[in-house]
Amino acid sequence: MSEHRRKPPQSRGRRAAQPPSGGRRAAQPYGSTPGSHGMPSDRPYGGRAEARRAAQRAGGGRRRAADASGDVTVVGRGRGRYEPEKKRFIDYPRSGRNGWRRWTPSWKLITGLALAFMGMLIGLGGLALAMVEVPDEKNALALQQNNVYYWSDGTVMARAGETNRQNLKIEDIPRSMQQAVVAAENATFWDDKGIDPMGVGRAVFNMATGGDTQGGSTITQQFVKNNYLSQEQTLSRKVKELFISIKVNAKMDKREILQGYLNTSYYGRGAYGLQAASQAYFEKNAEDLTPAESALLTTVLKGADLYDPAGGVGPNSKPKQNRERAIKRWNWVMDRQVDLKMMSQSERDEYTFPKVAPRKAQSGLNGQTGYLAAIAEAEVKSTLNISKQQFDQGGYQIHTTFDKKKTAAMAKAVKKVTDQYIDPEKDPETDKFVQFGAASVEPGTGRIVALYGGPGFDKGHFTNNADTLGVPVGSTWKPFVLAAAMEHGTYKSDGVGVAPSSEYNGNNKLKVKTQDGSDYLDKEGNPFYQVNDADKDHGYVTLRRAMEVSANTPFVQLGMDVGMDKVRDVAASAGIEKDSFDPNLNPSFALGTSTPGAIEMANAYATFAASGTHVDTYSVTKVEYEGEEKPGFEKPQKETAMDSDIADNITDVLRGVIEKPHGTGTRAQELGRPAAGKTGTTDKNKSAWWVGYTPQLSTAVTLFRTDPDEGTLLSMNGTGGFKSIHGGRLPTEVWTAYMKDALKGTPVKGFPKPSPVGKKIDQIGAPSPSPSVSEEPEPSASPSQSEEPEPSASPSPSQSTPSAPPSNSCRPNDWFCDDTGGTDTGGTDTGGTDAGGTDTGGTDTGGTDTGGTETGGTETGGTETGGNGNGGNGNNGGIWGQNGDG
């Protein structure tokens, strides 16, 4: 090649960094080095590769360099090509990108950060694992203390919670128990590392988000929780449990862990550990357990109050419900062992569900103290958000509102009436399984001062009759209907309240009308007819009179005219809990198909006694634990539930129930001081109520019979020698006897004088409607005052397009509902305490006792047909065609 065609190697299109002045400097010629200012270098280059490397050293190759002024010149191959600036360790925001791409992290950055985070977590986890120490065996159960309950005067009411535990060696634990608990609780127990990562993650997430805190624990974790940690469900406790479980699993033999778990678990009935549980459920030593019995003890580990076949404490825990749950779980435990090859199918088929021993009362909780302690315990656990297992470990000093003398007086009153009338040995068909329940609340404070829950835990009766859910209250509900009418008026009153002097048709077998004037239809599509007790016609009567004689038809139609939703809301504001309401707002809702317990009813009527001021009930005033007073037990706040004039007018009307000769609660006159109240009796005599109050004390008494196996209500027809039992009879007698003792030494106090409320707004068809007349409060009559006979009228209400009734169903927590289409409502006390007529001089002179004379308390005649409605006008089986209650 000729010399003139040979060119020295050059950098193609490469540019050197610009000078500070901003001008461009030509690329260094071949053979030059940086800083030579165009002078040849002493170091020769032998080829293009060497020249390229020299150019790269001079201008940074393909890198972008910045001078002191911040200007950038790109040096590299290619004409006019710009290359990215030097990469940072973390390239964010991203260089060489514009707009949203500049702020979008690269996958390399994301991956790197994720790996770094995981590495950090692993490092921290390893550090924590190395630092955490397995604590000394705290074994809080071995140090368990009593829970001490105090009366309102500060004296000790009961001590409960003594330790019931005996440790076993693994050799003494039957293989059937070991297999059953591993199969049900932790199938991978023998091979795992002490934790279930997926389960732990799920449990931690649930706790962090406020979800279910249960689940996710292996047998090792449960042993660690029982033996070393508290029972609180918190994230910090779960983390500690995780690390300690790993170490315990590494240090201890699996057989030791299983032994510890079975010795520290809570099986219910106050039993900690397998040996105590075996004695409590089967009255035998653990080493003698059969596979079927082992499976049942494994079953109750899931929650004894819901899986003990003999029943538990709280809603949804009656024996029938528990037994059904326990059988289902027991079968699963047995089948699970077959699935895991721990038992053959033929062996499994040999076993049936085992029989358990009856529950026994915990030491110190005999008589009424068991029920009092149960109410206080529920309040403590709810307020402190602790489990039963944690509570049963003891150490709590619980100061209650319960009055020792009043509680004794209530038990004495129940015993007096029971001994006088009820004889289950002589009359087992009618008197067996008869139960009383009662509660007493202070108006204006909400303090529960006394209750009667039943014969006692020591007698095998563990259901608290003062706090049941499932016994319909009957006509004790009618005051809420009247209060709603006073507050809201009816659909035709334009919001003006209805006065007690308003007249409604009280005749028997009346068609119930909807607010548009159409017939209300029963579930079969027929017009719905409401009946009165004993099919009695009352004619058009004032609402005051209807309350006194407990006529059904006026209050059913009044409830429809007001709106049953408004009746429900007024009852709720007075103190009835949500779970107690019958969800079916049909006509019979006005007659007491809802099922609040005695505590709720006493408190709701206390709202009337306190002139419309409502206070939530409470039973605990102070709780101390390890010398420290726990927060959350302040007195509940007062609330205005209804206008004072409305409440005082209700009181004035309810005074007539006691004081008028035709009133259904005349037996309460024996109290000898101003009082107000209402009777309640349900269809087929399945329950009877009396709820009454003075300005100082409100008390509810209920009477019912239950099938001990099914938990359903039985009829009380024939109970105590009476053809039917009404609220004005035995419940009123218990109330009167108790209130006499409870108020002994308390000054006699009158009720506030009511001011006029609402207007006289009569039902359509009343003889002389006068909606514009203001109501003057009708003074309550004394027992000696006479009453004009009721007018008799036969209405002919118009008919139009009918409306369909709502469906019916039992509530989840309804203990006694039998799901047969609604709760029975019937049987009205219409005059006197024996379904008609007032006892005057020992003779029933009215109602349905025709010719029946009470001599010395014994009925010698009469038909007394009240309490059992026939459905009215062909409504056979119609759940709302039954008699209302009184």
Side-chain angles (χ1 to χ4, degrees), residues 9 160 182 233 238 291 318 340 395 398 410 565 574 649-650 670 683 691 797:
V182 169
Q233 296 289 346
K238 197 72 179 176
K318 62 185 179 183
L340 296 174
I398 303 162
M410 187 171 282
D565 57 334
N649 271 273
I650 293 293
E670 296 179 18
D683 183 50
V691 188

Side-chain angles (χ1 to χ4, degrees), residues 290-304:
T290 67
E293 293 166 341
S294 295
L296 180 59
L297 291 183
T298 300
T299 294
V300 298
L301 283 173
K302 190 171 178 65

